[in-house]
Amino acid sequence: MPHTLLSLNYDVLSSILALISTQDAAQLALASRAAYAVAYPRFISNVSLGGLYHKAGDSAVSQLKSFSNFVLAPAPCWHGAPSARLDGLRSLEIMRDAVRVRKGGMRVVDASAVALLSAVLQKAHDLQQLTLWGSDALFTAFPDFALGSSPSIHTLVLGGDIAPLPVLARAFPHVRNLEFVAGGGSCVPEWAFDAPDANSEALGPWRKNLERVDAGFPIIPLAVPVRRVDLRNPIVADEDSIWCAHTFLAQTRPVVLSAAVSVPSSAEHLGALLHATVPGIKYLELTGDRCEGLREGFDWMMRDVSQSLQHASNLCIHGITLTVTRATVSPFAPKYQEDAPVARVATPEKSVDLAVLARTVAESAPSLRFIAIDLSPAKGASSAERAWFRVHEPRVGSSRRVEKISEEEGQAIANKMRAFNRYD
């Protein structure tokens, strides 16, 4: 009997299919019914609808309606259960134009398309990640959008104009990871700086289910405990920025925090942020943003970070990762003509003693067991300016001891600490 691709063991075949593109998987599915059943989960697993602004007419809406009608229709008996067309859907992205039609020279939301999408979200029992661009317009056009959505949707990614949090919590009560598109993809909504809702049940099940928030800005109305918080945009050293970040962290009380602060930043500002997280925080990833050079980054960690850890009362942190980003000059910045060209030779800065820095940080927080330091992104630094350390308890009459460990071991410890309180 001749051997064919479909005669391979399913475990082997699934590994092969994972390496081919969705377009190739779709072509394979057209070969035969047997090939269709095998290849279908590959090209239906990750779907993005819309993004067709370059095409005339209502191509994106037609795409969404065709897709929705197809997956909602019962699958043929040779394919499997009636819901087999939806069973393979794992990730779904809805772009702005996927629900918009042109009327009177303007693009408006098609409520029928939103209702059809809502039906898909209710029946997609294997859907794990949903990305919505312009979610505010979806709920405005169809207030019952996504009510009764699949409990399998655990990751909600938001871009564009974002609907209010109580509306999102009502529609997606089982969400564990709430993400806002990086960069300028998500607009800071006006409600992001409002006081939390007086109704303690406004966010409903999110109080128990929400595990991680990844955002570029503080979200003050999010007054629920969150295990891990990632604040991507640097927290600048002004009273308003510090107050917003402090309020947000005090309400979410993260166990794991990843944040960036502008350099230089005072120990008082850093201390205010740390104070908002005690006593729950166990692992901190702190980035000094736009550091001028190796020496400035070293001094910031040695002075400001160490002092802020020292003065944070009731701090019970087990691990910390410190790094920096390099200061950059915009290509659009004005260039001034010099009277005479001056030859500039880039000279690397003198290396710094990372063990001394780690020991100083360890002395500032007695509960620390792990320290990672990365100064390699700084101007004038080399790839050697990064290290990982274990912190050992002091012997009688001696100070705390730090032991340098390998990168592999350090990364493993950091990954373990990022999972603090996930299963315990």
Side-chain angles (χ1 to χ4, degrees):
M1 178 180 177
H3 292 284
T4 65
L5 178 66
L6 299 179
S7 65
L8 292 173
N9 181 282
Y10 182 76
D11 292 339
V12 177
L13 186 57
S14 60
S15 299
I16 295 174
L17 289 173
L19 301 176
I20 68 175
S21 66
T22 55
Q23 292 81 2
D24 290 339
Q27 291 298 314
L28 175 62
L30 298 176
S32 66
R33 289 183 176 182
Y36 183 95
V38 170
Y40 181 82
R42 172 66 184 93
F43 70 81
I44 200 66
S45 60
N46 299 289
V47 175
S48 179
L49 301 175
L52 305 177
Y53 291 100
H54 60 285
K55 292 190 176 182
D58 301 325
S59 301
V61 175
S62 299
Q63 183 189 57
L64 182 141
K65 289 185 176 181
S66 298
F67 170 81
S68 300
N69 288 323
F70 172 75
V71 296
L72 291 173
C77 58
W78 54 263
H79 187 188
S83 62
R85 288 178 172 175
L86 265 176
D87 290 344
L89 185 61
R90 299 290 187 271
S91 174
L92 178 62
E93 180 180 28
I94 306 299
M95 306 295 284
R96 295 181 183 90
D97 62 328
V99 295
R100 283 170 167 78
V101 294
R102 186 176 295 277
K103 287 185 179 180
M106 299 178 59
R107 286 193 175 272
V108 297
V109 177
D110 184 351
S112 64
V114 179
L116 198 57
L117 173 62
S118 181
V120 172
L121 299 181
Q122 292 171 2
K123 297 182 179 181
H125 299 301
D126 290 331
L127 181 60
Q128 299 172 4
Q129 177 172 313
L130 175 64
T131 302
L132 295 176
W133 288 84
S135 57
D136 193 28
L138 301 180
F139 289 98
T140 301
F142 188 65
D144 291 337
F145 173 69
L147 286 184
S149 62
S150 172
S152 64
I153 302 176
H154 290 162
T155 299
L156 181 62
V157 184
L158 301 169
D161 296 321
I162 302 168
L165 291 182
V167 174
L168 294 169
R170 176 169 166 260
F172 306 103
H174 303 282
V175 165
R176 296 178 184 174
N177 302 314
L178 184 62
E179 301 179 15
F180 295 82
V181 177
S186 56
C187 306
V188 181
E190 294 182 359
W191 51 257
F193 305 106
D194 293 342
D197 198 305
N199 179 10
S200 59
E201 298 302 320
L203 298 182
W206 280 10
R207 293 188 173 277
K208 294 182 179 180
N209 295 339
L210 201 59
E211 182 184 83
R212 180 180 179 182
V213 173
D214 186 346
F217 46 86
I219 310 169
I220 295 177
L222 190 65
V224 298
V226 181
R227 187 192 68 85
R228 177 175 175 178
V229 170
D230 293 64
L231 281 176
R232 294 187 303 269
N233 293 354
I235 303 169
V236 297
D238 66 64
E239 297 300 327
D240 291 339
S241 180
I242 295 296
W243 180 86
C244 289
H246 180 277
T247 303
F248 173 57
L249 295 176
Q251 293 174 161
T252 53
R253 303 189 297 278
V255 176
V256 178
L257 172 62
S258 177
V261 296
S262 59
V263 176
S265 55
S266 66
E268 290 76 13
H269 287 155
L270 290 175
L273 297 177
L274 288 175
H275 178 73
T277 62
V278 296
I281 188 169
K282 294 182 178 180
Y283 181 61
L284 172 65
E285 292 178 315
L286 188 62
T287 300
D289 184 61
R290 300 183 184 182
C291 184
E292 292 291 344
L294 176 62
R295 175 53 59 179
E296 184 185 29
F298 181 86
D299 292 343
W300 171 71
M301 296 179 185
M302 177 72 80
R303 180 184 63 250
D304 297 333
V305 175
S306 297
Q307 290 180 8
S308 64
L309 291 171
Q310 188 175 6
H311 294 120
S313 58
N314 300 322
L315 185 65
C316 191
I317 189 171
H318 294 172
I320 187 171
T321 293
L322 300 173
T323 187
V324 295
T325 61
R326 177 182 295 199
T328 58
V329 178
S330 170
F332 303 103
K335 295 179 173 60
Y336 300 99
Q337 184 68 33
E338 297 180 349
D339 294 337
V342 179
R344 292 184 174 88
V345 179
T347 57
E349 296 190 35
K350 294 182 179 179
S351 61
V352 293
D353 194 335
L354 298 183
V356 172
L357 174 57
R359 194 176 303 112
T360 302
V361 173
E363 291 289 347
S364 303
S367 59
L368 273 176
R369 297 294 180 268
F370 169 74
I371 299 173
I373 300 172
D374 186 4
L375 285 167
S376 60
K379 183 179 180 180
S382 67
S383 58
E385 309 295 345
R386 55 201 301 242
W388 295 260
F389 299 90
R390 283 185 181 272
V391 183
H392 298 280
E393 287 298 322
R395 298 175 181 175
V396 179
S398 63
S399 59
R400 307 191 78 191
R401 184 171 62 88
V402 294
E403 173 194 3
K404 188 174 181 180
I405 58 179
S406 67
E407 178 178 355
E408 182 180 1
E409 184 179 0
Q411 296 288 6
I413 295 175
N415 290 333
K416 183 178 180 179
M417 289 192 168
R418 291 188 187 101
F420 271 141
N421 283 34
R422 178 178 291 175
Y423 306 111
D424 48 351

